[in-house]
């Protein structure tokens, strides 16, 4: 499961302000009680509690607002900041104005807005905070003498709150920037990979057009040879050759059909059991020496899916890779299992090879651990999973070998259950 990462933007800043607003209501109430009751300082508590109560009601209203589906605009966020600044200014006016150590909290809205809005909005918020501070310098209700010790304590508390909040905001922003850089790098790698796939697809289309004629000629010659040699070892070899030629012709037809399906954005409706069995039959045709074992849910024949273009080839590539790995370790077994896990349809392909020889870099084409491999099968499967909103994971299997896990969301295959 992917770790949830922090985000910045207008909605994120609005949620952060909502959380800070509730914290401010609790902290301001506790401070007023401590100063007026604990220290015996005469304060205008009715007006202070009125301001805190209004802030609390506004916090509840914003909480309800953020639960609604419509997005938060920049103007609405500015309104939230303006109301917070006015209420804070009112509370500071009743408690010494600019001489109150907590007047430094007027800087925090500027920091928050700077992470999500344009410089123009930041300037407006800065002028709003500056104007509030200048007003508090001229008009305020002075506090009774508190002594230097209590004033220094207030300054220390204000510094601590500001330092903690600023450190939190900046660390989250730095983390978001690092994540964005990682995402940009991943996007560049995917773009390079897709360019490689496009070049291969272009060459494959040309090869498909050119191969159709020689395959037809070979099919005709093999048919004639089979008539002349109807028995014996040569007849068996010719039959195998005929099947392989027909398989090549089927591949060319599938290539054209997949292209048409991709352009039409349609998939083939079939059951999960039929889909897996079709892939297994193709594997048996390509690799008749493989002992193919499949594990399906009891009602898999009633799970109807719309198979997207390319998914057949992705699964067949995984099965073929598993066959190569098993055969390289003097085993002929390949296991396939299908299950539904939450909102995903999961297909597992397990081989009985020597295990993962090194870290597998998914999505990086043209790298193969096989001397006869082109290195694009696994990359194509990963690209298909990514296009469908799923993922491809390769890990060591219990008891040896490797398990490849292909997971796709149920929504992308439009699964229909009985």
């Amino acid at each position: 499961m992917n770790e949830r990462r922090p985000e910045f933007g207008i909605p994120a800043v609005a949620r952060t302000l909502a959380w800070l607003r509730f914290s401010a209501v609790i902290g301001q109430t506790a401070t007023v009680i401590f100063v007026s009751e604990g220290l015996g300082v005469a304060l205008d508590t009715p007006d202070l509690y009125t301001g805190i109560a209004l802030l609390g009601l506004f916090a509840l209203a914003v909480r309800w607002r953020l639960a609604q589906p419509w997005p938060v605009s920049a103007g609405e966020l500015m309104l939230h900041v303006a109301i917070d600044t006015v209420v804070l200014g009112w509370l500071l006016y009743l408690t010494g104005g600019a001489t109150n150590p907590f007047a430094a909290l007027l800087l925090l809205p500027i920091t928050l807005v700077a992470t999500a809005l344009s410089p123009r909005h930041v300037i407006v918020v800065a002028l709003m905070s500056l104007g509030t501070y200048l007003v508090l310098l001229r008009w305020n209700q002075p506090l009774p003498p508190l002594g230097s010790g209590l004033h220094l304590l207030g300054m220390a508390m204000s510094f601590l709150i500001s330092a903690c909040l600023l450190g939190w905001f900046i660390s989250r922003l730095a983390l978001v920037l690092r994540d964005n850089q990682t995402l940009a790098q991943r996007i560049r790698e995917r773009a390079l990979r897709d360019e490689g796939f496009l070049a291969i697809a272009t060459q494959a289309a040309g090869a498909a057009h050119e191969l159709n004629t020689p395959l037809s000629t070979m099919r005709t010659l093999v048919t004639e040879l089979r008539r002349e040699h109807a028995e014996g070892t040569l007849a068996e070899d010719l039959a195998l050759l005929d099947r392989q030629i027909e398989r090549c012709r089927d591949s060319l037809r599938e290539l054209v059909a997949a292209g048409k399906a991709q352009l039409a954005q349609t998939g083939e409706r079939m059951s999960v059991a039929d889909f897996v069995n079709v892939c297994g039959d193709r594997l048996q045709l390509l690799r008749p020496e493989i002992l193919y074992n499949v594990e399906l849910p009891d009602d898999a024949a009633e799970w109807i899916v719309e198979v997207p273009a390319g998914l057949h080839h992705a699964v067949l590539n995984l099965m073929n890779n598993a066959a190569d790995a098993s055969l390289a370790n003097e085993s002929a077994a390949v296991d396939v299992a299908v299950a539904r896990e939450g909102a995903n349809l999961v297909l597992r392909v397990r081989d009985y090879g020597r295990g993962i020889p090194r870290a597998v870099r998914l999505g990086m084409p043209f790298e193969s651990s096989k001397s006869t491999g082109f290195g694009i099968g696994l990359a194509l499967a990963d690209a298909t999973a990514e296009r469908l909103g799923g993922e491809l994971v390769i890990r060591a299997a219990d008891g040896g070998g490797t398990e490849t896990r292909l997971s796709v969301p149920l929504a992308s295959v439009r699964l229909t259950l009985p």
Side-chain angles (χ1 to χ4, degrees):
M1 182 179 295
N2 293 332
E3 181 183 357
R4 180 178 175 84
R5 310 301 287 176
E7 59 177 349
F8 267 96
I10 293 177
V13 172
R15 290 192 296 269
T16 302
L17 275 175
W19 173 78
L20 290 177
R21 205 171 285 119
F22 280 109
S23 301
V25 169
I26 297 173
Q28 291 163 358
T29 302
T31 301
V32 171
I33 293 174
F34 173 73
V35 173
S36 61
E37 303 295 335
L39 300 179
V41 178
L43 297 175
D44 190 354
T45 52
D47 288 341
L48 286 171
Y49 286 136
T50 298
I52 295 173
L54 290 175
L55 184 62
L57 292 174
F58 178 63
L60 292 174
V62 171
R63 187 77 174 183
W64 172 86
R65 159 66 187 90
L66 294 179
Q68 305 309 307
W70 58 86
V72 180
S73 64
E76 183 179 350
L77 181 61
M78 292 289 290
L79 178 61
H80 292 182
V81 173
I83 293 176
D84 291 336
T85 303
V86 169
V87 173
L88 179 59
W90 169 252
L91 298 178
L92 291 173
Y93 165 79
L94 297 173
T95 54
T99 62
N100 189 314
F102 292 98
L105 297 179
L106 289 169
L107 296 174
L108 291 180
I110 304 175
T111 305
L112 264 178
V113 170
T115 63
L117 299 182
S118 65
R120 175 187 53 172
H121 294 97
V122 176
I123 292 173
V124 172
V125 174
L127 292 176
M128 191 187 309
S129 298
L130 177 61
T132 303
Y133 187 81
L134 293 177
V135 169
L136 294 173
L137 281 175
R138 176 64 180 81
W139 292 281
N140 60 76
Q141 293 183 10
L143 289 173
L146 302 177
S148 59
L150 191 58
H151 187 78
L152 289 175
L153 177 62
M155 293 177 62
M157 290 298 297
S158 176
F159 178 83
L160 178 62
I161 294 173
S162 300
C164 290
L165 293 178
L166 286 175
W168 182 54
F169 296 150
I170 294 174
S171 64
R172 283 169 58 90
L173 183 59
L175 188 56
V176 169
L177 291 176
R178 288 195 296 270
D179 285 350
N180 288 341
Q181 290 175 350
T182 303
L183 178 61
Q185 178 63 26
R186 195 157 44 226
I187 290 174
R188 284 194 293 269
E189 291 178 356
R190 291 173 181 171
L192 291 174
R193 180 199 64 189
D194 292 343
E195 288 179 5
F197 288 159
L198 180 60
I200 293 173
T202 303
Q203 294 296 324
H209 179 71
E210 295 174 4
L211 288 175
N212 189 48
T213 299
L215 284 174
S216 299
T217 303
M218 293 169 62
R219 177 70 183 276
T220 302
L221 292 176
V222 169
T223 302
E224 294 295 330
L225 288 173
R226 292 185 66 184
R227 289 175 183 171
E228 297 177 6
H229 304 277
E231 297 179 358
T233 304
L234 181 58
E236 296 177 0
D237 293 340
L238 289 173
L240 176 60
L241 183 58
D242 189 27
R243 290 195 298 269
Q244 295 300 323
I245 293 174
E246 187 61 29
R247 174 57 189 154
C248 291
R249 290 166 60 88
D250 289 341
S251 296
L252 296 181
R253 297 189 192 101
E254 291 168 6
L255 179 64
V256 176
K260 292 180 179 179
Q262 182 66 31
L263 290 175
Q265 294 295 313
T266 58
E268 183 181 1
R269 297 287 294 178
M270 63 173 59
S271 69
V272 170
D274 288 342
F275 169 70
V276 176
N277 289 330
V278 166
C279 295
D281 291 342
R282 293 180 182 177
L283 178 67
Q284 293 281 266
L285 182 61
L286 290 173
R287 318 296 291 272
E289 70 276 20
I290 290 297
L291 300 177
Y292 169 71
N293 177 55
V294 62
E295 179 181 341
L296 295 172
D298 295 335
D299 57 345
E302 301 177 8
W303 293 10
I304 306 302
V305 295
E306 185 174 301
V307 182
L311 189 58
H312 276 293
H313 290 283
V315 174
L316 187 59
N317 281 333
L318 298 181
M319 292 180 176
N320 199 34
N321 286 343
D324 288 335
S326 293
L327 292 174
N329 197 33
E330 299 181 354
S331 174
V334 171
D335 295 341
V336 178
V338 177
R340 180 187 175 194
E341 297 181 3
N344 294 319
L345 185 65
V346 178
L347 183 141
R348 293 184 176 87
V349 180
R350 190 262 175 88
D351 64 57
Y352 290 85
R354 298 185 178 89
I356 304 175
R358 56 182 173 84
V360 178
R361 301 177 61 193
L362 292 179
M364 297 299 293
F366 321 127
E367 293 185 5
S368 177
S369 59
K370 298 177 292 185
S371 59
T372 59
F374 293 106
I376 63 174
L378 192 61
L380 284 170
D382 181 59
T384 301
E386 179 186 303
R387 178 170 55 85
L388 297 176
E391 64 176 354
L392 186 66
V393 178
I394 300 179
R395 61 190 179 189
D398 296 336
T402 304
E403 180 184 87
T404 305
R405 181 180 184 273
L406 175 63
S407 173
V408 295
L410 299 178
S412 63
V413 293
R414 296 181 173 87
L415 175 66
T416 303
L417 296 175

